[in-house]
Amino acid sequence: MSNDLNAGYGNDWIRRMASVCEESSTIDSTLFSKYEVKRGLRDLNGQGVLTGLTEISEIRSYTVVDREMIPCEGKLYYQGIDIEEIVDGFLAEKRFGYEEVVYLLLFGRLPNSMELEELKDMLAEFRHGLPTSFVRDIIMKAPSSDLMNTLGRSVLTLYSYDDRADDTTTENVLRQCLQLVALFPLFTVYGYHAACYFYGDSSFFLHPPKREYSTAENILHMLRPDSRFTTLEAKILDIALVLHAEHGGGNNSTFTDHVVTSSGTDTYAAISAALGSLKGPRHGGANKKVSMMFEDMKKKVKDWEDEEEVESYLTALLNRQVFDKSGLIYGMGHAVYSISDPRARTFCKFVKKLADEKGMQKEFALYNLVEKLAPKVIANERHIYKGVSANIDFYSGLVYSMLEIPLEMYTPLFAIGRIAGWSAHRIEELVNAGKIIRPAYKAVGRHKSYVPMAER
């Protein structure tokens, strides 16, 4: 039996039948408007169709004045608290913030010092509770070049190690979710090192996590051969995790979490489904695309300070002439925000400090220039006059490159942050258990009669 899963790819029969699949699967696009189908669960104005309620977070991108929606500076609230106030708050007290945000999202309020320490102790216990056999048998024996698949496989395999895997009581699901918050960094970093060894012919090492370290510090400690990092590096990575931790119930991966959870399935199945959604380049995978786009730009644009040359490249991007020919300027625009993304706005304050520390001021200046020019180029080429601004993906790729984090880890880092929000939404869905989420699809195909084989 062949071990080649690609056997048959390019086969004439498969190639021919693929075109048949496409033809039989294509739906007349005019039918979507005829039957008022909300494609992507969004109306014609781009507003999301209301499918649920949540107290976990709120996204605000407009105000209503005399019944008219007026775009405003984007705001994001975690359990009712402005994310910008949260970041300013823990930085002013010289603390790391991700663990505090995990507590806030799960329990609905900010922890006091003792409660925060209790949570940190619990996460440290879970980090050190991963069986040695799991690292050996699951991460090392079957490494994947795609770390999102490594994460997904690791999460699903935990089911086999859990005697109460199918127990959906709040107590048990909370335990499972906190374990995942603790273990996501290990799965990601250890998976990366295993892939480097087996696919990249590099040295293999595993640093055990440190109990006294925050999540951000442990990521850098486990990732780097010498375990060394600066305070600024750890703080900015921590801010990245905080800003990625949650973004409402309507984003694709969190909605997937709600949908799968509503079926009554186990935590590992629900979270692995969310991971599968986040992997997509239209969702969490966009941060990789931003970095790859800028690498292409830096090769093709000779003078990074020449506005006309940079604008010409951006125009070529939209016209599908350069990079991946998708017609997109990655990192610009958002389904909800128009004037500004508060996460990008908050992140940008700290990116320059890191650029100065790393001697990457020219790269930072190029990003700023693209952020300035892209809205104008998009308006001219697409005739879209809804506000277009940089989103969180725009700057996160630059930050990760300055932190010397490999490209393969960009989207998994998003997941390491977002597992906090997924966990809170899973518990919220279970506590408020109603009906299984099942939207309607209208059948528009023609009815046909069965034809006997001899008459086909």
Side-chain angles (χ1 to χ4, degrees):
M1 181 181 292
S2 172
N3 290 322
D4 183 8
L5 292 178
N6 294 310
Y9 181 80
N11 178 281
D12 287 341
W13 184 85
I14 291 179
R15 186 181 296 113
R16 186 173 72 253
M17 296 312 294
S19 65
V20 175
C21 278
E22 288 185 358
E23 183 178 350
S24 67
S25 300
T26 301
I27 296 172
D28 181 354
S29 60
T30 63
L31 296 179
F32 290 95
S33 55
K34 176 181 177 180
Y35 294 111
E36 299 182 348
V37 174
K38 307 296 190 295
R39 300 195 74 179
L41 290 180
R42 309 198 75 76
D43 63 23
L44 293 176
N45 296 317
Q47 296 298 312
V49 176
L50 195 60
T51 60
L53 303 174
T54 184
E55 293 183 341
I56 296 168
S57 69
E58 176 190 357
I59 301 165
R60 187 173 296 173
S61 61
Y62 62 87
T63 57
V64 178
V65 179
D66 295 329
R67 297 184 180 180
E68 183 179 355
M69 294 169 55
I70 307 297
C72 66
E73 297 287 349
K75 302 293 286 184
L76 175 61
Y77 300 86
Y78 288 177
Q79 294 285 5
I81 305 175
D82 191 323
I83 186 62
E84 292 172 270
E85 289 185 22
I86 293 173
V87 173
D88 290 342
F90 65 72
L91 287 177
E93 297 180 4
K94 295 181 170 53
R95 290 183 289 101
F96 289 98
Y98 179 66
E99 289 74 18
E100 181 176 341
V101 161
V102 170
Y103 191 103
L104 172 64
L105 292 174
L106 285 172
F107 306 116
R109 60 179 175 79
L110 292 169
N112 60 36
S113 57
M114 184 178 73
E115 291 168 335
L116 183 57
E117 287 306 311
E118 287 175 338
L119 174 65
K120 289 179 180 178
D121 289 343
M122 183 63 67
L123 294 177
E125 284 297 316
F126 286 142
R127 285 194 193 104
H128 286 82
L130 185 65
T132 303
S133 60
F134 189 98
V135 177
R136 181 190 66 227
D137 297 340
I138 308 306
I139 295 178
M140 292 176 61
K141 280 191 176 179
S144 171
S145 57
D146 190 297
L147 297 184
M148 288 298 285
N149 286 346
T150 297
L151 258 177
R153 185 182 71 246
S154 297
V155 170
L156 284 173
T157 306
L158 280 177
Y159 181 97
S160 302
Y161 287 74
D162 188 347
D163 292 336
R164 300 180 63 190
D166 291 308
D167 180 349
T168 57
T169 61
T170 301
E171 178 184 353
N172 191 56
V173 171
L174 176 61
R175 186 264 305 174
Q176 292 171 329
C177 287
L178 287 173
Q179 284 180 316
L180 292 175
V181 170
L183 294 175
F184 263 37
L186 277 72
F187 292 159
T188 299
V189 178
Y190 288 177
Y192 170 71
H193 289 315
C196 285
Y197 177 75
F198 288 102
Y199 294 105
D201 197 30
S202 64
S203 298
F204 184 63
F205 61 90
L206 294 179
H207 295 316
K210 291 192 174 184
R211 289 181 177 272
E212 68 272 21
Y213 276 178
S214 67
T215 301
E217 289 174 303
N218 262 317
I219 291 170
L220 295 175
H221 153 67
M222 293 187 295
L223 178 63
R224 296 179 175 178
D226 61 4
S227 293
R228 297 178 64 182
F229 54 87
T230 68
T231 300
L232 180 61
E233 287 178 319
K235 282 185 176 180
I236 290 183
L237 180 55
D238 177 66
I239 292 169
L241 297 177
V242 166
L243 296 176
H244 280 108
E246 165 60 6
H247 204 238
N251 68 81
N252 195 279
S253 58
T254 303
F255 184 61
T256 298
D257 181 20
H258 272 281
V259 171
V260 178
T261 294
S262 76
S263 74
T265 193
D266 65 275
T267 296
Y268 306 109
I271 297 303
S272 66
L275 280 166
S277 164
L278 190 71
K279 180 186 175 184
R282 293 182 181 180
H283 192 7
N287 53 18
K288 288 170 60 176
K289 284 288 191 177
V290 173
S291 291
M292 294 163 68
M293 177 186 74
F294 269 96
E295 286 305 309
D296 185 70
M297 187 186 310
K298 288 188 283 187
K299 293 174 185 175
K300 291 184 171 66
V301 174
K302 294 179 181 178
D303 184 355
W304 297 358
E305 298 177 356
D306 187 327
E307 290 195 13
E308 289 187 6
E309 193 177 359
V310 173
E311 186 172 325
S312 176
Y313 178 87
L314 296 176
T315 301
L317 271 175
L318 290 178
N319 290 319
R320 305 175 188 272
Q321 297 168 343
V322 293
F323 186 42
D324 63 358
K325 298 180 173 57
S326 66
L328 299 173
I329 299 178
Y330 290 100
M332 295 302 302
H334 192 274
V336 179
Y337 301 117
S338 54
I339 294 180
S340 67
D341 180 339
R343 302 167 301 168
R345 194 170 63 234
T346 301
F347 214 14
C348 189
K349 298 175 186 176
F350 306 97
V351 176
K352 187 178 185 306
K353 294 179 183 178
L354 188 59
D356 290 339
E357 182 178 281
K358 297 290 184 177
M360 295 179 67
Q361 295 89 341
K362 287 185 177 180
E363 283 82 356
F364 179 67
L366 177 61
Y367 272 71
N368 273 341
L369 183 56
V370 170
E371 183 181 12
K372 169 188 168 185
L373 296 175
K376 181 178 72 171
V377 174
I378 292 171
N380 290 340
E381 295 296 318
R382 294 282 190 267
H383 305 295
I384 296 175
Y385 300 101
K386 164 188 176 288
V388 176
S389 59
N391 59 46
I392 184 65
D393 294 318
F394 187 78
Y395 281 108
S396 64
L398 174 61
V399 167
Y400 296 157
S401 67
M402 289 193 290
L403 291 175
E404 300 171 35
I405 290 173
L407 189 67
E408 298 89 340
M409 282 184 58
Y410 285 16
T411 308
L413 277 174
F414 194 151
I416 290 172
R418 186 57 60 86
I419 181 59
W422 290 338
S423 297
H425 279 278
R426 172 164 170 75
I427 292 172
E428 188 177 63
E429 181 67 36
L430 289 170
V431 169
N432 297 283
K435 295 182 177 180
I436 184 173
I437 298 173
R438 188 189 181 280
Y441 270 66
K442 182 176 180 62
V444 293
R446 294 184 298 110
H447 288 189
K448 309 162 201 170
S449 297
Y450 180 82
V451 179
M453 178 68 75
E455 298 176 21
R456 295 177 196 171

